[in-house]
Amino acid sequence: MTQQLTDLADHLDATDPLAHVRDRFLLPEGVVYLDGNSLGPLPAAVPPVLEDVVHRQWGTDLIRSWNTHDWWQAPLRVGDAIGALIGAAPGQTVAGDSTSVQLFTALSAAAELRPDRPLLVTDPEHFPTDRYLADSVGRLHGRQVRRVAPADLPEFLDEHGDQVAVISYSPVDFRSGELHDVAALTRAAHRVGALALWDLCHAAGAMPVHLDDLGVDFAVGCGYKFLSGGPGAPAFLYAAERHHDSWRTPLSGWTGHAEPFGLQADYVPAPGIARARIGTPPILSLLALEAALTAFDGVDLAQVRAKSLSLTGFFLRCAEELLAPEGFEAVTPAEPEIRASQVSLRHPHAYGLIQALAAQGVVADMRAPDILRFGVNALCTSHHDVLTAATLLQRITSAGDYDPVPQEPGTVT
Ligand SMILES: Cc1ncc(COP(=O)(O)O)c(C=O)c1O
């Protein structure tokens, strides 16, 4: 049985059109890294750029680098580079701050664009920060938050649509890896005059996203997962051009002013996406992210998606053959059209198993209480990596070679 899986992995890796892209990443020898959906691996382009930015640009050229190395435009330049990966024409995406801050900006702006509608609608299973911030924006803007599962959203909108200011969802359920239909849910929101905001943390760089074509209003996402921009990398915010004349951002920082160096008494927002700049941009992280994005040079996101599906499909097959007999249940959908770039497996000893895997060089993560989560980054993961992970997991489980302890609160996994 394992020989068949080995032969299949050999074949799939030998015919992988993205195999050469793995060399664009610096992965430690002997490590199988399946945590790209939490912290992407280090792109080879990043260290030399950071070396130059620190020693030459900052160390030698000092403050004039804001102009000579065009640090000032970095949030917009990096924003456009991300825009190219999420179907956004230039001038609509800014990079900076955290996803949480960008969510607050986007949700507030959307609420203000629909002042007479009392409801903000979000996913009960959304990532916690999305839920917390929806509550804050609701409180600050005098709106109510309704939590509606994506599957129930069309019906909810049929009934209450004229009350809804904005829907805020993610294309990917971060626990299960199920994909939601961005096109259909955006259409459903627009049909009733609501706006659509998408959190692309688990989608940007992992699959094609067509923000402009789908008429999405706002989107946010992080730079540290599939974009591999590094720990705490700047996030991004997309605002569709049609809102640029009318939208207001809640954080009126000086770098989003129309004349930041005019040092005027009152805030006048910059035109376009630039008003979503807030304070002085984090140049080291922005330029690291900019270098990281070159890993996508010449890579077609349709190919990324095809390989991601091949990897997750192969993982699910390994799970069925090797892991189901050990008590693992696949949580990620088998249907490719609703499967994101991860495989989640349920097991009561998820935490201990993830620790045991890591001790033997296979890095993944877990989501409490019982989900083992394996993210596949199609740019640098092979089918052999997947097979190594599944085989090791089977060996550890059948030998009972792990500590069946629950996760300690506060542990990063
Ligand atoms: C869907 C989603 N939104 C937001 C975040 C995190 O936001 P921040 O970058 O502000 O920490 C995560 C983190 O994993 C996430 O999965």
Side-chain angles (χ1 to χ4, degrees):
M1 186 158 59
T2 314
Q3 187 55 47
Q4 270 178 8
L5 292 173
T6 305
D7 293 346
L8 183 54
D10 283 345
H11 169 70
L12 293 170
D13 286 342
T15 52
D16 169 14
L18 292 181
H20 65 286
V21 182
R22 188 180 174 98
D23 294 342
R24 298 181 187 179
F25 292 86
L26 299 173
L27 285 157
E29 202 53 44
V31 167
V32 170
Y33 193 69
L34 297 175
D35 207 352
N37 57 335
S38 220
L39 174 66
L42 171 63
V46 170
V49 166
L50 277 184
E51 175 78 17
D52 180 62
V53 173
V54 170
H55 289 293
R56 188 171 63 94
Q57 300 187 18
W58 177 14
T60 305
D61 297 348
L62 292 161
I63 194 153
R64 64 177 180 268
S65 292
W66 284 104
N67 298 314
T68 53
H69 297 297
D70 210 12
W71 285 357
W72 186 255
Q73 292 300 334
L76 303 178
R77 197 172 65 238
V78 179
D80 281 344
I82 295 169
L85 300 175
I86 54 174
Q92 302 176 101
T93 311
V94 68
D97 301 286
S98 63
T99 317
S100 300
V101 171
Q102 302 294 17
L103 265 168
F104 178 73
T105 295
L107 270 169
S108 299
E112 281 209 65
L113 285 169
R114 292 290 181 273
D116 302 327
R117 292 175 168 233
L119 301 183
L120 312 177
V121 184
T122 190
D123 187 343
E125 299 300 326
H126 218 331
F127 188 78
T129 209
D130 300 69
R131 287 184 272 138
Y132 305 157
L133 283 158
D135 288 343
S136 294
V137 171
R139 181 165 44 79
L140 292 167
H141 289 267
R143 315 294 172 90
Q144 293 159 35
V145 175
R146 290 291 163 81
R147 301 189 197 288
V148 181
D152 301 331
L153 186 60
E155 197 184 325
F156 181 87
L157 291 174
D158 282 346
E159 248 175 77
H160 307 284
D162 59 348
Q163 308 283 296
V164 176
V166 56
I167 64 153
S168 171
Y169 286 80
S170 165
V172 179
D173 180 309
F174 73 98
R175 285 192 188 85
S176 69
E178 179 180 351
L179 267 187
H180 305 309
D181 189 338
V182 178
L185 296 180
T186 300
R187 265 198 314 272
H190 287 169
R191 237 188 334 264
V192 296
L195 299 172
L197 160 60
W198 289 94
D199 179 339
L200 303 180
C201 276
H202 290 270
M207 61 192 73
V209 183
H210 306 285
L211 294 182
D212 286 349
D213 289 350
L214 299 181
V216 167
D217 298 284
F218 295 98
V220 300
C222 67
Y224 49 76
K225 297 184 195 285
F226 291 98
L227 300 182
S228 293
F236 63 88
L237 164 68
Y238 161 92
E241 191 173 7
R242 64 184 173 283
H243 296 306
H244 286 187
D245 288 340
S246 47
W247 73 316
R248 294 204 324 178
T249 55
L251 297 168
S252 43
W254 74 282
T255 68
H257 194 283
E259 284 185 61
F261 294 98
L263 305 178
Q264 294 168 11
D266 295 314
Y267 182 75
V268 179
I273 192 69
R275 73 184 51 174
R277 301 178 64 145
I278 302 170
T280 304
I283 293 300
L284 299 184
S285 331
L286 272 173
L287 299 188
L289 173 57
E290 185 171 40
L293 294 173
T294 63
F296 287 91
D297 284 355
V299 170
D300 180 349
L301 280 159
Q303 275 184 329
V304 171
R305 175 70 177 146
K307 179 167 173 197
S308 156
L309 284 175
S310 172
L311 289 164
T312 51
F314 181 62
F315 205 140
L316 288 173
R317 177 162 170 196
C318 294
E320 193 180 312
E321 295 187 18
L322 305 176
L323 300 171
E326 303 295 337
F328 289 87
E329 178 204 341
V331 177
T332 301
E335 304 92 314
E337 57 284 358
I338 55 166
R339 191 166 79 228
S341 206
Q342 72 185 58
V343 168
S344 298
L345 304 175
R346 181 169 281 130
H347 190 284
H349 298 140
Y351 179 70
L353 288 166
I354 286 293
Q355 303 306 311
L357 279 175
Q360 297 196 49
V362 172
V363 182
D365 66 15
M366 57 119 14
R367 287 295 170 257
D370 58 358
I371 302 268
L372 296 92
R373 202 174 64 149
F374 301 87
V376 301
N377 180 332
L379 300 189
C380 58
T381 307
S382 69
H383 297 82
H384 265 282
D385 290 336
V386 164
L387 184 56
T388 302
T391 328
L392 181 62
L393 187 54
Q394 182 207 29
R395 213 178 311 135
I396 287 171
T397 316
S398 65
D401 198 9
Y402 61 95
D403 200 354
V405 289
Q407 182 184 10
E408 286 167 36
T411 317
V412 177
T413 46

